[in-house]
Amino acid sequence: MVCGILTLTSPWCSDLASRFDVKRAFNRRPTLYGSTVRIVCSDSSLNLPATTEKLDSDASVTGGAYDFDGATTSLTRKLISSTKKVTLVRHGLSSWNDEGRVQGSSNLSVLTETGVKQAERCREALRNISFDRCFSSPISRAKSTAEVLWLGRDKPLVFLDSLKEAHLFFLEGMKNVDARQLYPKEYTSWREDPSNFEVNGVYPVRKLWGTAREAWREILSSPGENLLVVTHKSILRALICTALGLGPERFRAIDVNNGGISVFVFNRRGEAMLQSLNMTAHMYSDYEYFY
């Protein structure tokens, strides 16, 4: 993937390369706010042959990574209809996010006014992307985000139970400070060793890995080549990790902000390549993504 800034309307950016390094430029949020910045990611072809033999080298795909057997993990274990690009979005700020509560699979937490604005920012940032369909968790905060984001599009909005958030039992709805005091063992396990967090013999994070694989199979077997997915933080972590072949012990190695956007491309074998992780530039300025 090659990313570059195509257009910056702020006049001070005209000689950006000579005046600032990239990291410093993107850290100048107050200066960038209100400007129009366009980001483009090159779209490398992934029309790979359905064979177990070594593939012809094409450095433009992944630096030749597909020349190595087992370099990536198939999420479908069979050929899919076409290569696919999948954009993952975390829902906007919810009431329980704002109140510092454990959310889990509860449907009582709703999108806040700030969350609606974040969803609108996502919609504007992705307005030039032609999606074939949108998948969403049916839980309120994700559903509302998807409905805002998908406004004005006439293609299907599909709700999947496999995109629901992890079930966290008695911790759901509790403020984090209270959960830490009342259930110190369970809360500490959830925060510091989530893959071993257990309630009555159930391991929610380990179970989430199976749910994520189910979600990927449903998403990748659907028609279309450019798909949008709106869901929750924990299931997003599981989706990203399973696509990369990482186990539940890596659960907290991935973080996704409210309104954060991540992008994967899949070849016909259902093997993933991560293009972008937790893009949030659109939260601070009028960014439009092109990929």
Side-chain angles (χ1 to χ4, degrees):
M1 179 191 75
V2 179
C3 291
I5 304 173
L6 294 185
T7 305
L8 298 104
T9 59
S10 299
W12 65 269
C13 291
S14 61
D15 194 24
L16 179 64
S18 63
R19 294 172 58 189
F20 301 99
D21 64 84
V22 174
K23 182 176 180 181
R24 287 177 58 202
F26 276 85
N27 282 336
R28 292 175 60 93
R29 288 177 183 166
T31 308
L32 282 174
Y33 193 86
S35 64
T36 299
V37 183
R38 298 188 177 192
I39 294 179
V40 61
C41 297
S42 66
D43 185 10
S44 302
S45 174
L46 286 177
N47 290 313
L48 301 177
T51 176
T52 57
E53 298 177 359
K54 289 185 181 295
L55 306 173
D56 293 335
S57 178
D58 181 1
S60 68
V61 177
T62 57
Y66 282 110
D67 289 334
F68 298 92
D69 292 337
T72 56
T73 302
S74 172
L75 292 168
T76 57
R77 301 194 178 280
K78 63 179 181 180
L79 290 179
I80 56 180
S81 60
S82 64
T83 61
K84 296 189 187 292
K85 184 167 291 184
V86 181
T87 298
L88 307 172
V89 181
R90 184 185 171 196
H91 64 76
L93 186 76
S94 70
S95 54
W96 283 10
N97 285 149
D98 200 32
E99 296 167 9
R101 296 182 185 273
V102 179
Q103 294 198 112
S105 60
S106 171
N107 206 24
L108 299 177
S109 178
V110 298
L111 205 61
T112 63
E113 183 178 345
T114 296
V116 171
K117 291 178 181 178
Q118 290 174 332
E120 290 171 345
R121 280 194 167 276
C122 288
R123 182 182 65 213
E124 290 304 303
L126 297 172
R127 64 184 176 135
N128 290 300
I129 308 297
S130 179
F131 293 107
D132 296 304
R133 61 180 54 202
C134 176
F135 296 94
S136 173
S137 161
I139 295 175
S140 176
R141 55 195 185 272
K143 180 176 182 288
S144 297
T145 300
E147 289 171 343
V148 170
L149 212 162
W150 204 240
L151 186 66
R153 299 188 187 244
D154 57 2
K155 295 179 180 178
L157 174 54
V158 181
F159 298 100
L160 297 179
D161 286 342
S162 57
L163 290 175
K164 287 182 177 180
E165 187 59 300
H167 180 40
L168 299 178
F169 297 93
F170 49 82
L171 294 181
E172 293 187 357
M174 297 189 67
K175 287 192 173 183
N176 284 283
V177 292
D178 296 331
R180 186 184 295 112
Q181 292 179 351
L182 295 174
Y183 301 101
K185 178 181 176 182
E186 292 84 353
Y187 184 82
T188 300
S189 179
W190 161 240
R191 299 299 300 180
E192 298 181 9
D193 189 17
S195 65
N196 288 315
F197 169 58
E198 174 262 334
V199 178
N200 297 327
V202 177
Y203 292 80
V205 171
R206 298 183 196 179
K207 187 175 180 181
L208 200 61
W209 253 239
T211 305
R213 292 189 181 97
E214 179 185 345
W216 276 128
R217 287 191 292 270
E218 291 183 274
I219 293 165
L220 295 175
S221 65
S222 69
E225 298 183 2
N226 205 354
L227 307 171
L228 180 64
V229 176
V230 182
T231 188
H232 314 268
K233 186 174 186 175
S234 292
I235 183 64
L236 276 171
R237 283 171 157 166
L239 287 168
I240 293 166
C241 284
T242 52
L244 297 176
L246 302 175
E249 67 279 0
R250 299 274 73 84
F251 177 75
R252 295 203 184 277
I254 302 291
D255 198 14
V256 184
N257 294 52
N258 291 112
I261 297 174
S262 303
V263 183
F264 278 95
V265 291
F266 292 85
N267 63 18
R268 288 198 62 217
R269 292 193 295 267
E271 298 168 334
M273 180 174 67
L274 178 63
Q275 283 198 325
S276 304
L277 177 64
N278 194 30
M279 297 190 294
T280 57
H282 57 288
M283 291 290 116
Y284 307 103
S285 185
D286 297 328
Y287 277 67
E288 297 174 35
Y289 297 111
F290 295 83
Y291 53 81

